[in-house]
């Protein structure tokens, strides 16, 4: 009885090892959150305005 039980367990374990189950496909990539290419010109313009404002502000105080 004991040998038959061990043989049954071994055969059942081989069934799980050699089963042909493919993993599910990976999920699709999410869409991009922030389109940086469309706002580059606006960000450069705002940066130049801010830089001009800060330079002007500190030059006026020193003189």
């Amino acid at each position: 009885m004991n040998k038959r039980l061990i043989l049954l367990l071994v055969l059942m374990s081989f069934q799980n090892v050699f089963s042909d189950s493919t993993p599910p496909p990976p999920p699709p990539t999410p869409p991009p959150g922030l389109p940086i290419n469309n706002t580059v010109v606006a960000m450069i313009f705002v940066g130049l305005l801010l830089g001009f404002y800060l330079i002007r502000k500190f030059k006026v105080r020193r003189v």
Side-chain angles (χ1 to χ4, degrees):
M1 177 79 177
N2 198 9
K3 289 182 181 180
R4 288 183 182 173
L5 181 63
I6 291 174
L7 181 63
L8 180 66
L9 290 175
V10 168
L11 289 176
M12 293 294 280
S13 68
F14 278 124
Q15 180 184 2
N16 289 334
V17 170
F18 294 114
S19 65
D20 189 23
S21 62
T22 58
T29 57
L34 179 63
I36 296 178
N37 293 337
N38 296 338
T39 59
V40 170
V41 175
M43 289 183 349
I44 290 173
F45 182 69
V46 170
L48 287 173
L49 285 177
L50 181 63
F52 179 74
Y53 171 74
L54 291 175
I55 290 172
R56 183 92 166 136
K57 180 179 175 181
F58 286 117
K59 278 192 172 184
V60 170
R61 282 188 179 180
R62 290 182 182 172
V63 174

